[in-house]
Amino acid sequence: VKMDQALLLVRNEMSARGFGLAARSGACHRCPYQLLAVVPPSEGGPSVAVAVDTQHPLSLLLNGSLAGSELCKIQYHFGEFGNYSLVVKTRSTTAKTVYCDVVVNESPINSYLPILFAFLVFVGILAILIICRLLMKIDPVRNWVHKKLNPRETDRLINSELGSPNTTDSISSDPAPQLWRATSQQRLRSLDTFRGLSLVIMVFVNYGGGKYWFFKHESWNGLTVADLVFPWFVFIMGTSISLSLNSVLRWGSSKRKVLGKIFWRSFLLILLGLIVVNPNYCVGPLSWENLRIPGVLQRLGLTYLVVAVLELLFTRAGADSGTLEMSCPALQDILPFWPQWIFILMLEVIWLCLTFLLPVPGCPRGYLGPGGIGDFGNYPNCTGGTAGYIDRLVLGEKHIYQHPSCNMLYQTTVPYDPEGILGTINSILTAFLGLQAGKIILSYRDQHKQIMNRFFIWSIVLGIISAVLTKCSKEEGFIPINKNLWSTSYVTTTSCFAFILLLLIYYLVDVKRLWSGAPFFYPGMNSILVYIGHEVFENYFPFKWKMRDSQSHAEHLTQNLTATTLWVIISYILYRKRIFWKI
């Protein structure tokens, strides 16, 4: 058996009756049973051996020779590399009732022990770092280290970067420039820490995540760890847009010049995604015939373009610093920007109308399912509904992702791209919610309690919207949480978590300064370089090597954690060398 599988021996003790054994994964919604084996009568031969999945509970169904004659049904969650027997028998030779039971022949391994071991290793490293930090409080040690490293120059360079409010953001019209200058000496490390945390998890997930199912993208509806990181990255990009545009406009740059930089940066992101980070390189030299047009960087580029232009065109002087007189001060981070909200709501209406009203040939209107064997196999070619149809119609089947996450579980046959055209509309919504977080920081400058209160309120509001859209259910909601579709509930749920996480990091890093943000702060400062680098060098040593046992979670986890840690170390070295790659 292979990783995430167990061996099941089917022992038929009925001398005159054979049956078919079928199985259905608990993760496969509205799927028919899939035939595993045909088991002859006990007189017809030995036990039949089949490999069964261990990632999710399985429902086993035994059918007799007559169509529709169900003999027995049992649900069981098998353990990895375990050896089991399914015993099928009747109480007596004359009895017609069939009994089935699962017997453990050899106990499964605990495939989660490598995670515990890795956790303890990193806790040990953290303990060592804490001890080193305590040693830094000793004057002779601190003086020697500061003399060797001289971090002041590095901090000066970082704080001069575009992206966060600092002393240079003040202008003569600011009614309290001295307060802003006195309390905002440092770049907001929490933003870079948040970005770095998202990036580190993204790198780990992209490298394989130890081959654990919860470190992979959900097959269709639902949410795993892997499904959180990309929207978090988009969210914090929106926050940075608010702060960076505020910075350059306060410096006196013209909107026309800034607009040109926005278009250029978007173009570079899309170009890098098309040419450098293209997964179809693995099937041969890049050519138009197999070029994947959508992608992560392409979506980032388009999302950045729309949100940055929206912010540039409708931003108002003084609206982001609380200097405008307002009838409702509690909404000073929302009301001055009402044209932006109207635009975003119009985009969301477009997404809803296209998703639920556009006719798709051969598919029910408003279909949100995975196709394949989902929905009992009634719509095998409808993967993604409208979203998949638009991509295949506009881009062509050869220019979108060929192996979506639903491919294995739902046995889909048509390509589907999780970074497609329609989903980009909702990624713009995600970035806009991040933009709102930046407006909160600017509107309540240095009012830490107000900022954290606003973050908490936004998380509650978005959480309530998610609960309504999903009916607090994985599958039965109006709009299920779905990363492949980048559904509205997916946006509100991940943004809810993003506001909570940003609140915690902001409190620990920038308010109380209990945490420096390390080690996530360093990759957060070089996010584009780390992302592109980890994609380009994915199959090169020391990021990957030949394993002794490719069916071991422990070896995969070791390799993936090593590769991810190396990129954190590289980003730290670049930070110390004052090398920062910006687009």
Side-chain angles (χ1 to χ4, degrees), residues 310-345:
L310 183 66
E311 173 68 0
L312 182 67
L313 294 180
F314 293 102
T315 189
R316 298 170 58 188
D320 56 3
S321 57
T323 59
L324 291 179
E325 293 185 4
M326 295 190 59
S327 58
C328 186
L331 299 177
Q332 66 183 37
D333 56 327
I334 299 177
L335 292 182
F337 311 100
W338 63 267
Q340 296 177 344
W341 282 97
I342 291 177
F343 179 82
I344 290 298
L345 291 175

Side-chain angles (χ1 to χ4, degrees), residues 160-176:
S160 66
E161 266 203 334
L162 179 67
S164 290
N166 52 37
T167 58
T168 57
D169 291 335
S170 299
I171 57 175
S172 58
S173 61
D174 195 326

Side-chain angles (χ1 to χ4, degrees), residues 341-398:
W341 282 97
I342 291 177
F343 179 82
I344 290 298
L345 291 175
M346 288 176 60
L347 280 183
E348 190 58 28
V349 169
I350 291 173
W351 185 87
L352 291 170
C353 290
L354 289 175
T355 300
F356 291 101
L357 300 180
L358 182 70
V360 178
C363 306
R365 187 166 296 185
Y367 182 71
L368 300 176
I373 64 172
D375 296 293
F376 303 108
N378 292 324
Y379 316 110
N381 297 321
C382 295
T383 302
T386 302
Y389 173 68
I390 290 175
D391 289 339
R392 292 188 289 271
L393 182 67
V394 176
L395 304 176
E397 290 193 0
K398 292 185 178 181

Side-chain angles (χ1 to χ4, degrees), residues 79-80 204 235 250 366 380 388 391 410 459 515 523 541 555 567 572:
E80 187 176 24
F204 175 66
F235 179 93
R250 283 176 173 269
D391 289 339
Y410 288 97
S459 67
W515 177 32
F541 183 82
E555 287 206 39
W567 281 112
Y572 174 75

Side-chain angles (χ1 to χ4, degrees), residues 79-93:
E80 187 176 24
F81 296 128
N83 188 316
Y84 302 85
S85 288
L86 176 63
V87 182
V88 184
K89 60 183 179 179
T90 57
R91 290 291 178 94
S92 65
T93 56

